[in-house]
Amino acid sequence: MANNIEAYFYVLKCRDNTFYAGYTTNLEQRVQTHNAGKGAKYTRVKSRRPVSLIHSERFSSKSEAMKAEYAFKQLTRPQKEAYLKQNKCEI
């Protein structure tokens, strides 16, 4: 049952113009954690902060959000940009 909670797949744009993708159950808190330098190792690098949330999708389970994150991470940079533009994200 613990897996059936609302979860989000999200994409951040870092200050160095790279993307970071992840999943969480609390989107606002997670972005704050990244910006505080206490999030993922990738966003702890000072030159990548601050980060800004540019895309999120809500799922009914953590498993679904993790699958969306994995699929996004398999894309090339041009494919990621196309995905984000298709979803009307400002990149």
Side-chain angles (χ1 to χ4, degrees):
M1 279 273 186
N3 198 31
N4 291 330
I5 56 173
E6 189 175 83
Y8 298 87
F9 154 63
Y10 65 93
V11 180
L12 304 175
K13 184 174 183 181
C14 301
R15 186 172 72 174
D16 64 0
N17 287 320
T18 59
F19 298 130
Y20 174 81
Y23 71 92
T24 186
T25 57
N26 187 329
L27 201 50
E28 186 177 313
Q29 181 181 16
R30 188 65 179 145
V31 174
Q32 289 175 356
T33 302
H34 283 294
N35 276 321
K38 298 179 181 178
K41 187 176 181 180
Y42 187 82
T43 59
R44 282 187 222 150
V45 177
K46 195 170 186 173
S47 65
R48 294 201 174 104
R49 290 182 277 125
V51 300
S52 56
L53 179 67
I54 60 170
H55 178 71
S56 67
E57 294 177 45
R58 184 172 42 189
F59 294 91
S60 60
S61 72
K62 179 179 157 184
S63 175
E64 290 176 33
M66 290 173 72
K67 287 176 185 174
E69 174 198 9
Y70 178 80
F72 184 83
K73 287 182 174 181
Q74 301 311 302
L75 301 175
T76 64
R77 173 72 187 216
Q79 290 171 326
K80 288 175 183 176
E81 290 174 352
Y83 178 89
L84 293 167
K85 284 179 184 175
Q86 180 182 356
N87 285 284
K88 297 178 176 49
C89 301
E90 202 170 308
I91 57 171

